[in-house]
Amino acid sequence: MRLTVKKLSKAYGFFWALKDLNLDLPPGELVALLGPNGAGKTTLLKLIAGLIPPSLGKIELDRMPLSHANGSSRAQIGLLAPAAHLYEDLTVRENLQFFTSLYGWKHDAGNISSALASVDLSDRADEFVSTLSSGMKCRLSIAKWALLKPGLLLLDEPYGVLDGSGVDLLEEFLKAHCRKGNLVILASHHVSRVLKICSRAIILHQGRMTFNAPRQQPWPDFDQAFREFLPHGEA
Ligand code: ATP
């Protein structure tokens, strides 16, 4: 999926949380979305996910305005955020059955079991989601998106709740997902982690995009932008 953003702006009252953002991201990119607290990262992800409307500007998916997108185009966008969209009163397995049905798939018990095994949740399959820890819920969300395979996956600071093996499986999943031609945008304060896996980095600062370039090694332009806008380093 290709994502194009044109002069995108979002105001909350008189405050511009995002101003005049232009982006053109082809399929296969793994984008690190960086910036200090309040920079506008979550606002951008919510706009792209269609959860809030823009004040000005356009968002296009494969050249079609998001505002005109039908259910099947919107189903191509996944959002993995701390308040994960899971059903607490369904079991772990029932959640995956529900989402695969919702996305119009016949749920295949074998696929669901292997998705749960891949995130090490097989032994919790028949427990209610409300009984899981935050890290386990995050793992379940990874299994959900691994099954649903969205063309555009948005992640809002997924690292906080994951342990070491959870981080490894998330990163392996994201790299494999992009290798298949899907687009991933990953907002995080874990700068050194995301820089290792991204193909491009974007920095937002006070609602404006101050840096956008493909990853290089070494990367003096990024280092300069990072020092200027993220003077205190990682959160
Ligand atoms: P963080 O790294 O802290 O998560 P962020 O880069 O994700 O920050 P946003 O959550 O997008 O930042 O917020 C951008 C700005 O918009 C902030 O100043 C925030 O206070 C403001 N903001 C966000 N949501 C709302 C809202 N619903 N109403 C008013 N202001 C908001």
Side-chain angles (χ1 to χ4, degrees), residues 81-103:
H85 302 98
L86 297 170
Y87 288 89
E88 303 262 324
D89 298 333
L90 295 180
T91 67
V92 166
R93 191 193 312 276
E94 284 167 349
N95 262 270
L96 296 186
Q97 289 169 342
F98 172 75
F99 282 109
T100 47
S101 310
L102 192 67
Y103 280 65

Side-chain angles (χ1 to χ4, degrees), residues 118-129:
S118 72
V119 295
D120 213 9
L121 280 180
S122 303
D123 58 341
R124 311 296 294 249
D126 298 313
E127 293 182 25
F128 289 113
V129 165

Side-chain angles (χ1 to χ4, degrees), residues 63-142:
R63 308 279 182 218
M64 182 196 281
L66 181 64
S67 51
H68 298 182
N70 59 20
S72 64
S73 306
R74 283 178 188 265
Q76 281 298 305
I77 308 175
L79 176 65
L80 198 162
H85 302 98
L86 297 170
Y87 288 89
E88 303 262 324
D89 298 333
L90 295 180
T91 67
V92 166
R93 191 193 312 276
E94 284 167 349
N95 262 270
L96 296 186
Q97 289 169 342
F98 172 75
F99 282 109
T100 47
S101 310
L102 192 67
Y103 280 65
W105 292 23
K106 270 196 183 161
H107 44 76
D108 172 336
N111 283 351
I112 289 179
S113 296
S114 44
L116 287 176
S118 72
V119 295
D120 213 9
L121 280 180
S122 303
D123 58 341
R124 311 296 294 249
D126 298 313
E127 293 182 25
F128 289 113
V129 165
S130 56
T131 68
L132 298 185
S133 71
S134 311
M136 289 171 188
K137 287 180 190 170
C138 189
R139 283 168 178 256
L140 179 56
S141 295
I142 297 169

Side-chain angles (χ1 to χ4, degrees), residues 17-225:
L18 211 60
K19 196 86 171 82
D20 274 338
L21 196 86
N22 294 297
L23 274 179
D24 187 26
L25 300 173
E29 289 253 38
L30 203 170
V31 181
L33 180 60
L34 308 170
N37 289 137
K41 303 179 297 294
T42 300
T43 300
L44 176 60
L45 296 183
K46 283 184 177 170
L47 286 164
I48 298 169
L51 295 178
I52 53 173
S55 305
L56 293 167
K58 279 191 213 159
I59 301 168
E60 293 176 356
L61 303 172
D62 291 336
R63 308 279 182 218
M64 182 196 281
L66 181 64
S67 51
H68 298 182
N70 59 20
S72 64
S73 306
R74 283 178 188 265
Q76 281 298 305
I77 308 175
L79 176 65
L80 198 162
H85 302 98
L86 297 170
Y87 288 89
E88 303 262 324
D89 298 333
L90 295 180
T91 67
V92 166
R93 191 193 312 276
E94 284 167 349
N95 262 270
L96 296 186
Q97 289 169 342
F98 172 75
F99 282 109
T100 47
S101 310
L102 192 67
Y103 280 65
W105 292 23
K106 270 196 183 161
H107 44 76
D108 172 336
N111 283 351
I112 289 179
S113 296
S114 44
L116 287 176
S118 72
V119 295
D120 213 9
L121 280 180
S122 303
D123 58 341
R124 311 296 294 249
D126 298 313
E127 293 182 25
F128 289 113
V129 165
S130 56
T131 68
L132 298 185
S133 71
S134 311
M136 289 171 188
K137 287 180 190 170
C138 189
R139 283 168 178 256
L140 179 56
S141 295
I142 297 169
K144 168 181 151 183
W145 293 121
L147 277 171
L148 298 177
K149 302 180 176 57
L152 169 57
L153 181 59
L154 312 168
L155 298 100
D156 198 358
E157 196 56 87
Y159 287 111
V161 295
L162 288 171
D163 61 16
S165 71
V167 167
D168 290 345
L169 70 88
L170 173 70
E171 292 187 341
E172 285 313 311
F173 162 63
L174 295 180
K175 286 190 277 186
H177 199 55
C178 289
R179 277 197 297 273
K180 290 177 198 147
N182 300 298
L183 174 59
V184 168
I185 305 178
L186 168 56
S188 179
H189 292 290
H190 292 260
V191 179
S192 55
R193 279 222 80 100
V194 294
L195 283 186
K196 280 191 196 130
I197 59 164
C198 72
S199 59
R200 168 178 296 275
I202 290 173
I203 299 179
L204 296 182
H205 182 66
Q206 295 179 351
R208 302 232 177 217
M209 188 168 65
T210 54
F211 184 84
N212 175 15
R215 185 165 71 126
Q216 290 164 26
Q217 207 77 32
W219 206 358
D221 296 351
F222 176 85
D223 294 341
Q224 191 185 337

